Amino acid sequence: MSSAHHPPSALFCRRCGHALERRIPDDGDTKVRGVCPACATIHYDNPLCVVGTVPYWGAHGEQVLLCLRNIEPRKGKWTLPAGFLELGETTAQGAARETDEEAGAKIEMGPLFSLMNVARVGQVHLYHLARLTSDRFTPGIETQEARLFTEAEVPWDEIAFTTVKVTLQRYFADRRAGVLGFHTADLD
Amino acid sequence: MSSAHHPPSALFCRRCGHALERRIPDDGDTKVRGVCPACATIHYDNPLCVVGTVPYWGAHGEQVLLCLRNIEPRKGKWTLPAGFLELGETTAQGAARETDEEAGAKIEMGPLFSLMNVARVGQVHLYHLARLTSDRFTPGIETQEARLFTEAEVPWDEIAFTTVKVTLQRYFADRRAGVLGFHTADLD
């Protein structure tokens, strides 16, 4: 994950700098927004997409790459490489960038594997499958260590985010069943 | 779609109203952001999620509900009900809200059917299947008309958005094949 969080609602106008009013706009909207009394710009707060990969290794994909987080939140916990989708990227492009930034892993990008709503924090998490083409990693500054784990080795109680845990559980279950699917979940 | 568009980058600080600098932040980031010289708040621009439904009717789902747009962009063109995901919603909840707002349609929400990246405009479009439980519709102010179409009746040259067209094509193809899948695409 990058260090960006969902910001609090804007207090000042992004276009002209005037203090905002909090009210329902006059355009038929039904929700309270930040509305600029000076230039009429309406400010929307929308959910963010978090994109990542399930990087796997081995003839049967029996090992996955996890990263030991070197930054808050959840410093010292293990995660799949993931972070906020940036403007101009597809989900696969964003997932590839995060996999490079956080693990320095060489991959062949695969299909979307999981989509999980984390509505409480205004996020949608999306993980792509990614076949590792090397088992040498060069983690970036956000990562203390990057290494491969079999299902039995995964530190299940030390996983940083629920969406990572659920995605890993689905991945190993699908591998046992012999077919990789697409999974959705709504998490708290 | 709601009337919200992807806004241009912020010129003034959302937190204190000071004019922003455009530069790479000092936190290890690699991209130019709006950075506040007064309070150090960093402003991120991120893609938006658009959520909607494929509302279907008939014993074999042979008809789909389309809405004739009453607002720009693409006023006078046909679309599936869809709009921007709001904070606090899951993709299914947002899709249900839009289906109610734009078509006044009664539905039973189904699984995610398509995810399409429209990276050029910074959007991810997500459509859920939705079984109509009534063929009476009460469109909102954003919609001139809401009606059912068979595949042969769909006004293919009058569809408002490429993601809608691709989703409808996949839907009817899956119906012919007898199994509804999950589809992804990257569109210009």
Short mmCIF file of all heavy atoms in Angstrom, two decimals, chain B residues 131-158:
data_model
loop_
_atom_site.label_atom_id
_atom_site.label_comp_id
_atom_site.label_asym_id
_atom_site.label_seq_id
_atom_site.Cartn_x
_atom_site.Cartn_y
_atom_site.Cartn_z
N ARG B 131 -31.65 -9.29 -11.79
CA ARG B 131 -32.91 -9.84 -12.31
C ARG B 131 -34.04 -8.87 -12.00
O ARG B 131 -34.26 -8.52 -10.83
CB ARG B 131 -33.19 -11.21 -11.67
CG ARG B 131 -34.30 -11.99 -12.36
CD ARG B 131 -34.50 -13.36 -11.74
NE ARG B 131 -35.00 -13.27 -10.37
CZ ARG B 131 -36.29 -13.04 -10.05
NH1 ARG B 131 -37.19 -12.91 -10.99
NH2 ARG B 131 -36.65 -12.96 -8.78
N LEU B 132 -34.74 -8.42 -13.02
CA LEU B 132 -35.91 -7.55 -12.80
C LEU B 132 -37.04 -8.36 -12.19
O LEU B 132 -37.32 -9.49 -12.61
CB LEU B 132 -36.36 -6.94 -14.13
CG LEU B 132 -35.45 -5.83 -14.69
CD1 LEU B 132 -35.74 -5.61 -16.17
CD2 LEU B 132 -35.62 -4.54 -13.90
N THR B 133 -37.69 -7.77 -11.17
CA THR B 133 -38.83 -8.44 -10.54
C THR B 133 -40.14 -7.77 -10.95
O THR B 133 -41.21 -8.16 -10.49
CB THR B 133 -38.69 -8.43 -9.01
OG1 THR B 133 -38.58 -7.07 -8.55
CG2 THR B 133 -37.45 -9.21 -8.58
N SER B 134 -40.06 -6.79 -11.84
CA SER B 134 -41.24 -6.12 -12.39
C SER B 134 -40.83 -5.51 -13.72
O SER B 134 -39.67 -5.16 -13.92
CB SER B 134 -41.74 -5.02 -11.45
OG SER B 134 -42.64 -4.15 -12.13
N ASP B 135 -41.79 -5.40 -14.65
CA ASP B 135 -41.48 -4.72 -15.91
C ASP B 135 -42.13 -3.33 -15.97
O ASP B 135 -42.30 -2.77 -17.05
CB ASP B 135 -41.88 -5.58 -17.12
CG ASP B 135 -43.36 -5.88 -17.14
OD1 ASP B 135 -44.05 -5.55 -16.14
OD2 ASP B 135 -43.83 -6.47 -18.14
N ARG B 136 -42.45 -2.80 -14.79
CA ARG B 136 -42.90 -1.41 -14.69
C ARG B 136 -41.74 -0.56 -14.17
O ARG B 136 -41.14 -0.92 -13.14
CB ARG B 136 -44.07 -1.28 -13.70
CG ARG B 136 -45.31 -2.06 -14.06
CD ARG B 136 -46.05 -1.40 -15.22
NE ARG B 136 -47.35 -2.02 -15.40
CZ ARG B 136 -48.48 -1.59 -14.80
NH1 ARG B 136 -48.47 -0.55 -13.98
NH2 ARG B 136 -49.62 -2.21 -15.04
N PHE B 137 -41.46 0.54 -14.84
CA PHE B 137 -40.32 1.39 -14.46
C PHE B 137 -40.81 2.81 -14.21
O PHE B 137 -41.76 3.28 -14.83
CB PHE B 137 -39.27 1.39 -15.57
CG PHE B 137 -38.97 0.01 -16.08
CD1 PHE B 137 -39.21 -0.33 -17.41
CD2 PHE B 137 -38.48 -0.97 -15.22
CE1 PHE B 137 -38.96 -1.61 -17.87
CE2 PHE B 137 -38.22 -2.26 -15.68
CZ PHE B 137 -38.47 -2.58 -17.01
N THR B 138 -40.14 3.49 -13.28
CA THR B 138 -40.47 4.89 -13.00
C THR B 138 -39.16 5.69 -13.05
O THR B 138 -38.55 5.96 -12.03
CB THR B 138 -41.12 5.05 -11.62
OG1 THR B 138 -40.29 4.42 -10.64
CG2 THR B 138 -42.49 4.39 -11.58
N PRO B 139 -38.75 6.06 -14.26
CA PRO B 139 -37.47 6.72 -14.44
C PRO B 139 -37.39 8.06 -13.69
O PRO B 139 -38.39 8.76 -13.57
CB PRO B 139 -37.37 6.95 -15.94
CG PRO B 139 -38.58 6.38 -16.56
CD PRO B 139 -39.46 5.85 -15.52
N GLY B 140 -36.17 8.38 -13.22
CA GLY B 140 -35.92 9.65 -12.56
C GLY B 140 -35.65 10.75 -13.58
O GLY B 140 -35.79 10.54 -14.79
N ILE B 141 -35.25 11.91 -13.07
CA ILE B 141 -35.11 13.09 -13.94
C ILE B 141 -33.93 12.97 -14.91
O ILE B 141 -33.86 13.70 -15.87
CB ILE B 141 -34.92 14.38 -13.10
CG1 ILE B 141 -33.72 14.24 -12.15
CG2 ILE B 141 -36.18 14.72 -12.33
CD1 ILE B 141 -33.28 15.54 -11.53
N GLU B 142 -33.01 12.01 -14.63
CA GLU B 142 -31.86 11.86 -15.53
C GLU B 142 -32.21 11.03 -16.76
O GLU B 142 -31.37 10.85 -17.65
CB GLU B 142 -30.70 11.19 -14.77
CG GLU B 142 -30.17 12.04 -13.63
CD GLU B 142 -29.03 11.37 -12.88
OE1 GLU B 142 -28.50 10.35 -13.36
OE2 GLU B 142 -28.67 11.88 -11.80
N THR B 143 -33.43 10.48 -16.78
CA THR B 143 -33.82 9.50 -17.80
C THR B 143 -35.12 9.93 -18.49
O THR B 143 -36.11 10.22 -17.83
CB THR B 143 -34.03 8.13 -17.15
OG1 THR B 143 -32.83 7.75 -16.47
CG2 THR B 143 -34.40 7.07 -18.17
N GLN B 144 -35.08 9.97 -19.84
CA GLN B 144 -36.30 10.32 -20.60
C GLN B 144 -37.27 9.15 -20.68
O GLN B 144 -38.47 9.34 -20.70
CB GLN B 144 -35.93 10.72 -22.04
CG GLN B 144 -35.12 11.99 -22.17
CD GLN B 144 -34.73 12.26 -23.62
OE1 GLN B 144 -35.54 12.14 -24.55
NE2 GLN B 144 -33.46 12.60 -23.83
N GLU B 145 -36.69 7.95 -20.79
CA GLU B 145 -37.52 6.77 -21.03
C GLU B 145 -36.74 5.55 -20.58
O GLU B 145 -35.51 5.52 -20.73
CB GLU B 145 -37.83 6.66 -22.54
CG GLU B 145 -38.77 5.53 -22.90
CD GLU B 145 -38.93 5.37 -24.42
OE1 GLU B 145 -38.41 6.23 -25.18
OE2 GLU B 145 -39.52 4.36 -24.84
N ALA B 146 -37.42 4.56 -20.00
CA ALA B 146 -36.77 3.30 -19.62
C ALA B 146 -37.60 2.18 -20.22
O ALA B 146 -38.82 2.10 -19.99
CB ALA B 146 -36.70 3.17 -18.11
N ARG B 147 -36.96 1.31 -21.02
CA ARG B 147 -37.74 0.22 -21.63
C ARG B 147 -36.86 -1.00 -21.89
O ARG B 147 -35.63 -0.94 -21.85
CB ARG B 147 -38.44 0.66 -22.90
CG ARG B 147 -37.57 1.31 -23.95
CD ARG B 147 -38.24 1.33 -25.32
NE ARG B 147 -38.24 -0.01 -25.89
CZ ARG B 147 -38.16 -0.26 -27.20
NH1 ARG B 147 -38.12 0.71 -28.08
NH2 ARG B 147 -38.13 -1.52 -27.64
N LEU B 148 -37.55 -2.10 -22.17
CA LEU B 148 -36.89 -3.38 -22.40
C LEU B 148 -36.57 -3.58 -23.88
O LEU B 148 -37.36 -3.18 -24.74
CB LEU B 148 -37.78 -4.52 -21.90
CG LEU B 148 -38.04 -4.55 -20.39
CD1 LEU B 148 -39.14 -5.54 -20.05
CD2 LEU B 148 -36.75 -4.91 -19.64
N PHE B 149 -35.44 -4.23 -24.13
CA PHE B 149 -35.00 -4.52 -25.49
C PHE B 149 -34.53 -5.97 -25.58
O PHE B 149 -33.76 -6.42 -24.72
CB PHE B 149 -33.80 -3.64 -25.89
CG PHE B 149 -34.09 -2.18 -26.01
CD1 PHE B 149 -34.07 -1.37 -24.89
CD2 PHE B 149 -34.38 -1.62 -27.25
CE1 PHE B 149 -34.32 -0.01 -25.00
CE2 PHE B 149 -34.64 -0.26 -27.36
CZ PHE B 149 -34.62 0.55 -26.24
N THR B 150 -34.91 -6.66 -26.63
CA THR B 150 -34.25 -7.92 -26.98
C THR B 150 -32.93 -7.57 -27.66
O THR B 150 -32.69 -6.41 -28.05
CB THR B 150 -35.10 -8.76 -27.95
OG1 THR B 150 -35.21 -8.03 -29.18
CG2 THR B 150 -36.48 -9.07 -27.37
N GLU B 151 -32.08 -8.58 -27.85
CA GLU B 151 -30.80 -8.32 -28.52
C GLU B 151 -31.01 -7.68 -29.89
O GLU B 151 -30.31 -6.73 -30.26
CB GLU B 151 -30.00 -9.64 -28.67
CG GLU B 151 -28.65 -9.42 -29.31
CD GLU B 151 -27.77 -10.67 -29.33
OE1 GLU B 151 -28.30 -11.76 -29.01
OE2 GLU B 151 -26.58 -10.56 -29.64
N ALA B 152 -31.99 -8.17 -30.64
CA ALA B 152 -32.23 -7.66 -31.99
C ALA B 152 -32.74 -6.22 -31.96
O ALA B 152 -32.55 -5.46 -32.92
CB ALA B 152 -33.22 -8.55 -32.73
N GLU B 153 -33.38 -5.85 -30.87
CA GLU B 153 -33.98 -4.51 -30.78
C GLU B 153 -33.01 -3.45 -30.25
O GLU B 153 -33.27 -2.25 -30.36
CB GLU B 153 -35.19 -4.55 -29.84
CG GLU B 153 -36.39 -5.32 -30.38
CD GLU B 153 -37.43 -5.60 -29.30
OE1 GLU B 153 -37.12 -5.45 -28.09
OE2 GLU B 153 -38.56 -5.99 -29.67
N VAL B 154 -31.91 -3.89 -29.60
CA VAL B 154 -30.98 -2.92 -29.00
C VAL B 154 -30.49 -1.93 -30.06
O VAL B 154 -30.04 -2.33 -31.13
CB VAL B 154 -29.75 -3.65 -28.36
CG1 VAL B 154 -28.66 -2.64 -28.01
CG2 VAL B 154 -30.17 -4.43 -27.14
N PRO B 155 -30.59 -0.63 -29.78
CA PRO B 155 -30.11 0.38 -30.73
C PRO B 155 -28.60 0.52 -30.65
O PRO B 155 -28.07 1.46 -30.05
CB PRO B 155 -30.83 1.66 -30.27
CG PRO B 155 -31.04 1.45 -28.80
CD PRO B 155 -31.20 -0.04 -28.57
N TRP B 156 -27.89 -0.44 -31.26
CA TRP B 156 -26.44 -0.57 -31.06
C TRP B 156 -25.68 0.69 -31.45
O TRP B 156 -24.62 0.98 -30.86
CB TRP B 156 -25.91 -1.77 -31.84
CG TRP B 156 -26.39 -3.08 -31.28
CD1 TRP B 156 -27.36 -3.90 -31.81
CD2 TRP B 156 -25.96 -3.70 -30.06
NE1 TRP B 156 -27.55 -4.98 -30.99
CE2 TRP B 156 -26.70 -4.90 -29.91
CE3 TRP B 156 -25.03 -3.37 -29.07
CZ2 TRP B 156 -26.53 -5.76 -28.83
CZ3 TRP B 156 -24.86 -4.23 -28.00
CH2 TRP B 156 -25.60 -5.40 -27.88
N ASP B 157 -26.19 1.44 -32.41
CA ASP B 157 -25.48 2.66 -32.84
C ASP B 157 -25.84 3.88 -31.99
O ASP B 157 -25.31 4.96 -32.22
CB ASP B 157 -25.77 2.96 -34.31
CG ASP B 157 -25.23 1.87 -35.22
OD1 ASP B 157 -24.25 1.20 -34.81
OD2 ASP B 157 -25.78 1.67 -36.31
N GLU B 158 -26.74 3.67 -31.05
CA GLU B 158 -27.20 4.78 -30.21
C GLU B 158 -26.91 4.51 -28.73
O GLU B 158 -27.62 5.01 -27.86
CB GLU B 158 -28.71 4.99 -30.42
CG GLU B 158 -29.10 5.34 -31.85
CD GLU B 158 -28.55 6.70 -32.28
OE1 GLU B 158 -28.49 7.60 -31.43
OE2 GLU B 158 -28.13 6.83 -33.45
#
